Amino acid sequence: HAYRGTADEMSDAALTTKVKSKLMADSNIRPYSIHVKSDQGTVTLDGAVDSPSKAKYVETAVASVDGVQAVNNKLSWPTSQAN
């Protein structure tokens, strides 16, 4: 089972690299600091963007990467607080 675990870890690392490359290649996403983690085809995004629509844009871009089976979008954005 150790071999299988190692193979999964390698594919997770490769998927994370592919997702990060996609994000860095997109000038609409590049300005944001987004943490990417992959686990057996599920990609978790964490970080801050400037709006809910931008978070959805990033999620859609990540979902289009070959090998991504699901996206767990934990991106956050500033909310206006009325005083």
Side-chain angles (χ1 to χ4, degrees):
H1 293 288
Y3 175 75
R4 174 141 173 73
T6 303
D8 286 346
E9 288 172 22
M10 290 299 286
S11 62
D12 288 343
L15 185 57
T16 296
T17 299
K18 287 200 305 190
V19 169
K20 285 182 176 181
S21 295
K22 172 85 172 185
L23 298 181
M24 290 306 293
D26 190 321
S27 62
N28 292 312
I29 300 172
R30 195 178 309 125
Y32 304 104
S33 177
I34 299 173
H35 179 73
V36 178
K37 182 180 174 202
S38 300
D39 185 19
Q40 299 179 353
T42 299
V43 176
T44 300
L45 304 173
D46 204 355
V49 294
D50 58 8
S51 67
S53 60
K54 188 64 75 176
K56 186 65 177 170
Y57 178 87
V58 174
E59 180 180 339
T60 302
V62 170
S64 73
V65 175
D66 185 42
V68 174
Q69 297 173 11
V71 179
N72 184 8
N73 189 344
K74 294 185 173 181
L75 295 173
S76 60
W77 51 89
T79 56
S80 60
Q81 296 177 347
N83 291 347

